[in-house]
Each structure stands twice: as structure tokens, then as C-alpha cells.
Amino acid sequence: MGFARTCSVALVGVEGVVVEVQADLEPGVAAFTLVGLPDKSLSESRDRVRAAVVNSGAEWPQKKLTVGLSPASVPKSGSGFDLAVAAAVLGAAERIDPRTIADLVLIGELGLDGRVRPVRGVLPAVLAAADAGYHQVVVPEQTAGEASLVPGVSVLGVRTLRQLIAVLTDEPVPDEEPTEEGRPDAMLAGLLVPGAGIGTGLTTGPTEGPDLADVAGQHRARRALEIAAAGSHHLLLSGPPGAGKTMLAERLPGILPPLTRQESLEVTAVHSVAGILPPGEPLVRRAPYCAPHHSATMQSLVGGGNGLPRPGAVSLAHRGILFLDEAPEFSGKVLDALRQPLESGHVVIARAAGVVRLPARFLLALAANPCPCGRHTLQGAGCECPASLVRRYQARLSGPLLDRVDLRVEVEPVTRADLLGQGGRGETTATVAARVHEARARAAARLADTPWTVNSEIPGHELRTRHLAAPGALATAERDIERGLLTARGLDRVLRVAWTVADLAGHDRPDSQDIALALEMRTGIARGVPVGAGERT
């Protein structure tokens, strides 16, 4: 009788659970039994592993073979267990020393010829292994860079099962033929899900995005964009078609600061699980930008699918921007599903196969026309929409959803002077991004001993007790509460925006002008604040 064990990782959403893979050989009729709650793709690993072992030059044991995946109560899916199953079988057959694989974590799919194919979710799997105390992992060669992002873990990247056997038995490592230069690597097919990355806007390399200077006019909207980026405040841009709402939103990622190391790991883990992590770019350093079409379903936006739920657009936009163009055209149920992640920063999806918690801390940007034809706010433009139709159209963005939006800006039509450049060219993305970076640095220094990093994350109780505005600065906001223009949540969001305005202006705390601008940006009621208030010249 032979017995061996090794480890792999089962992913539930973007969280991993270390799974012990045990192989037991006993005398009897040759059979291969796989137990431990495997799904269809994992059950098929029996044939893949047998063919890979034989084609790698090793002898397949002609005994009763049982492979168990423990804990058995955790659902296990995917082909990433193949490498661990093969190692456990070879250990039980004494082709390799069982002691050498007992503390290894192996992740990878096996081809019938013994090649080790990459799988999705390597980064969160290795993170889970590190948290469980494991220090050595074996992954496919193509994903070794992704696994190496986890500190304190020794990573071995292998191309074939033969290489792994040679390393574990101290034999000469065979040279495997690399992919010809200029020829697509078919092994990378396991990393990408066709169509899954459309609309995510995940950029790689040094490519520069569109410049904010391309936007003609729109000084108030540009100001709102800067405030949104500096404090990670949700934004609504409403106005007629052609005013530049989409142009503004597309330039929002360019003024966001680069992701921190921890944020980069969080974003990379989500995109790795979703199958949209670009090959050769193991770490996402820029804020993602996700812009789904207004026909998006509930599952595509918040996550879901058959079996265990997969990340949706709100998770793909984690630490970045979720832009909903033509927001009133989205389903009302889909829009209202955003209310919970907007407050909590994560989404919890319950299905019969299990409950998954996915990160979803994003900056929401909405763009909306004032009516179905879009000409309601234009004088002499010939809008024929009845008043009742205009009200119903605008009501598609529900009150509870809008109450969670900090900045609401009317985007006016571009004037002839601005369009022809007679009003002067606006600031570039680099100039605005520098101010945003300074404002975030001030906020981070102020919140250094707290669990928050940007103003939009500060709880209301903290704003009213520890982070106080200047004396008398809240007089206007208090009157708006009495008049019913502000809710309790609305006041908290006004205070958060005011702190961001103060950070941009270099103030120690918000004054009456900062509060007035925050109120104007939320309620749409003019407060007599200059557009450039708080900006540096």
C-alpha cells in the first residue's frame, strides 16, 4: 500500500481555501476514484492526469487508486488541481519521495502530453497558501511572475510534468522546446476568457490615455471631475447629447493616482479570477475603468453565473471607475443593485452552490440625458417630450441611488467660443492629476492612524465628532436639512466632499466656501461660489 499527500487551492470567488490532495494505492482491480466534491471539469482530471503521467515517461500504477480532496465540504472546480493530483499519485507510487511534496502547493492544469498549462486565479490562490503558512508553490511557467508578487513565497515555474519530476528527484532537468518567437503561445489560452474583458478598459504599458485638455469648456464639470478623483466621490453628469459627458468620464482614469501595492494586488486578484489579466503584465498598476453597455444584466453587473458566482462589473472596477453611460436606460433593478456595494465596498452573492463575497469599492460615474430626446433643457431645441414622460425618464434613477451620489453636475452645451478655442485651452490631465495627488496625500496624512485612506470612506460619526469643519461653516447645510433638501446621509456626503475641496485648496479644514461648493455640487442650487474656488493658479 502507498500513500502520499500534497496541497492545492480551491477558489471561492477571489478567496482561496487550501485543499489537501491525498492519494492512496491498494491492491485490487485497477481503478481511479476521485472524491471530495469535484465539479465536472475536475472529475475529468482522471483522464488528463493518467495520460500526462504516461506521456511524461512515468509508469501508471496498476492498482486501486483513490484520490481525496480535503476538506470534502468545500466545492472544488476547475482544472487547477491536475498538477497536485499527479504529484500525489506519483508520490504514492514511490516514483518521487512523498516527503518532498507534503508541504508543496501545486497549481496547474495538465495537457495529455504532460505540459503544464496556466490557469486563472493564481495570485489569489498563492495569497491563500501564504496566509495558511505555506512557503513553496509550484505553478505553470507562464504564471510564475504573477505568483511571485506574493512576498515570502518561493515560486517554481514548470513547463512540463517531466521537469517537475526531475526537480523533485534531483535528476537532470530536461530542456523543453520553447514557443517559437513571434508565434502565439497556445498555452496562454487558459488565462483568458473570450469576451470577459470587453469594456473593462484595463490598460497595460506606458500608453497614455485621452487628455483632459481635449474637452472644450465645461469648467464646472471639470471641477467636479477633479473633486471626484481627489476624494473618490460618486459623480452624476447630466445634460444634452454632445455636451461632453462621455468625454469627461473617459478622462477620469487619467487623473487618478497610481494604485498602491496593496490595491494593485487586490485588483490583480479580481482580474486574474475573471480571466482578463493581460499576459506579460502580472501586476495591475493603474485604476481599472469599466463601462458596461446599458443592456447589461444583473449578473454581469454585480456578479453571478452558473455554479459559484463570478466577478461582475462592480468587482472588475474595484479601486477604479465604473462608468454607466446613458444611465436611465439601464434596468431599474440593475441600478438599484448598486446601492449595497456603494455603501459597503463589497458585494455578497448568495447562490445554491455557495455564498461569495467579492470586493467592489469603486468610483461610480453616471451620465444621463434630461429626457428621451435629450433636448429638454435646451431653449428652442424642439423637445416634444410630454412633462409626464420627462418625469418618468428622470425617475429611472431612483432617489435612494441618487442619495448615494455625492456630485451632481449639469453639463451645459459647449459654446462657440469654447469649441473654437477662443476661451483658452483647459488644463491638461497631468496638471490636474498633480493636484489630485497632492490632495490625496493630505487626506492620507490626516487619516494615517485610521482604517480609511480617502475622504469618501470616512464614516459620518467621525465627520461630526473628530473631523470638524470651521466654526459656523455648516450654517447653510443646517438650513438645507430643515428645508428637506438634505438627508442625514446627504449631510455626511456634503462634509466628505467639503473635506476634499479643502484638501485641493490646501485648507486645514473646510470653511464656509468649501461647504457651499459641496452643497452646490450636490443639490444643484447655486450658492454664489466661483467655479475655480479652491484651485491653484
Side-chain angles (χ1 to χ4, degrees):
M1 184 181 75
F3 176 83
R5 63 180 181 86
T6 187
C7 295
S8 191
V9 179
L11 288 177
V12 182
V14 294
E15 298 178 355
V17 179
V18 175
V19 172
E20 188 175 73
V21 181
Q22 303 171 340
D24 178 69
L25 282 174
E26 294 182 357
V29 178
F32 188 173
T33 305
L34 182 65
V35 297
L37 208 59
D39 71 344
K40 179 65 175 176
S41 61
L42 181 50
S43 297
E44 293 174 348
S45 69
R46 293 174 297 186
D47 300 318
R48 291 193 300 269
V49 169
R50 181 187 291 109
V53 168
V54 172
N55 290 325
S56 297
E59 183 180 353
W60 184 260
Q62 297 300 318
K63 296 181 179 181
K64 181 181 179 182
L65 171 62
T66 303
V67 174
L69 308 175
S70 179
S73 59
V74 176
K76 303 164 191 73
S77 61
S79 55
F81 293 88
D82 288 2
L83 196 58
V85 171
V89 171
L90 292 172
E94 298 182 353
R95 174 63 178 86
I96 59 179
D97 188 347
R99 293 173 296 181
T100 62
I101 61 173
D103 295 324
L104 276 183
V105 175
L106 299 102
I107 303 165
E109 176 186 334
L110 285 175
L112 300 183
D113 56 356
R115 289 186 299 172
V116 182
R117 304 179 65 92
V119 294
R120 300 188 300 272
V122 166
L123 177 59
V126 177
L127 284 170
D131 291 340
Y134 291 87
H135 303 290
Q136 293 181 311
V137 298
V138 179
V139 298
E141 186 179 65
Q142 293 86 346
T143 57
E146 183 181 342
S148 299
L149 297 173
V150 182
V153 175
S154 175
V155 178
L156 172 63
V158 294
R159 181 172 286 270
T160 65
L161 181 59
R162 280 190 298 270
Q163 287 185 339
L164 177 61
I165 294 173
V167 170
L168 295 177
T169 57
D170 292 328
E171 298 174 358
V173 179
D175 293 329
E176 304 293 344
E177 295 183 2
T179 303
E180 295 181 12
E181 187 174 353
R183 183 180 178 183
D185 189 354
M187 302 285 282
L188 297 176
L191 293 177
L192 300 176
V193 177
I198 295 177
T200 61
L202 193 60
T203 57
T204 60
T207 304
E208 296 293 335
D211 200 319
L212 195 56
D214 299 336
V215 179
Q218 304 300 356
H219 304 294
R220 189 168 295 278
R222 289 168 60 100
R223 177 66 170 150
L225 215 67
E226 181 178 343
I227 296 172
S232 193
H233 302 289
H234 306 308
L235 171 69
L236 168 63
L237 300 171
S238 58
K245 302 186 296 294
T246 304
M247 281 188 68
L248 287 162
E250 289 175 345
R251 284 150 180 79
L252 185 54
I255 62 177
L256 289 177
L259 299 175
T260 64
R261 175 74 177 185
Q262 180 59 36
E263 291 172 344
S264 292
L265 289 175
E266 293 175 7
V267 174
T268 302
V270 174
H271 285 78
S272 177
V273 170
I276 59 173
L277 192 64
E281 294 284 341
L283 185 65
V284 179
R285 294 181 173 87
R286 299 183 183 181
Y289 174 80
C290 192
H293 190 259
H294 60 74
S295 61
T297 62
M298 179 86 74
Q299 289 77 15
S300 67
L301 197 65
V302 301
N306 296 328
L308 287 175
R310 301 186 63 82
V314 297
S315 296
L316 297 179
H318 180 60
R319 300 296 182 184
I321 298 161
L322 177 64
F323 175 51
L324 303 185
D325 201 2
E326 304 293 346
E329 300 296 336
F330 281 78
S331 164
K333 291 183 178 180
V334 169
L335 289 175
D336 285 337
L338 298 175
R339 287 152 55 177
Q340 184 258 340
L342 284 176
E343 286 291 322
S344 63
H346 62 266
V347 58
V348 178
I349 307 172
R351 296 290 186 271
V355 178
V356 172
R357 184 181 186 272
L358 298 170
R361 189 169 295 281
F362 55 89
L363 191 164
L364 176 65
L366 304 169
N369 293 327
C371 67
C373 76
R375 301 189 297 270
H376 178 66
T377 56
L378 300 178
Q379 294 183 355
C383 175
E384 298 180 355
C385 299
S388 58
L389 179 60
V390 174
R391 287 195 299 270
R392 285 198 302 270
Y393 188 80
Q394 295 178 351
R396 292 183 181 180
L397 300 179
S398 66
L401 175 63
L402 290 179
D403 200 34
R404 291 166 168 82
V405 177
D406 304 336
L407 307 171
R408 309 172 193 174
V409 181
E410 288 287 338
V411 181
E412 302 293 339
V414 183
T415 64
R416 179 172 60 87
D418 287 330
L419 192 61
L420 299 178
Q422 299 172 3
R425 192 167 183 262
E427 292 179 312
T428 64
T429 293
T431 302
V432 178
R435 282 203 303 269
V436 169
H437 181 75
E438 292 178 6
R440 286 219 177 186
R442 291 192 188 95
R446 185 175 63 251
L447 302 172
D449 297 328
T450 70
W452 316 294
T453 56
V454 292
N455 292 321
S456 63
E457 298 175 357
I458 307 175
H461 174 73
E462 294 288 325
L463 290 168
R464 294 187 296 270
T465 56
R466 295 180 57 186
H467 301 278
L468 300 176
L474 288 175
T476 306
E478 292 170 356
R479 287 196 296 269
D480 283 358
I481 291 178
E482 293 175 355
R483 295 162 58 190
L485 296 176
L486 272 184
T487 62
R489 180 190 287 120
L491 176 61
D492 291 344
R493 293 189 175 274
V494 165
L495 290 173
R496 292 167 184 156
V497 173
W499 270 106
T500 300
V501 175
D503 288 333
L504 286 167
H507 299 161
D508 292 334
R509 55 178 174 170
D511 57 20
S512 57
Q513 285 285 88
D514 299 331
I515 297 290
L517 180 57
L519 283 169
E520 182 173 332
M521 288 286 184
R522 181 172 180 83
T523 63
I525 301 174
R527 311 284 173 160
V529 182
V531 172
E535 289 187 353
R536 296 179 179 180
T537 57

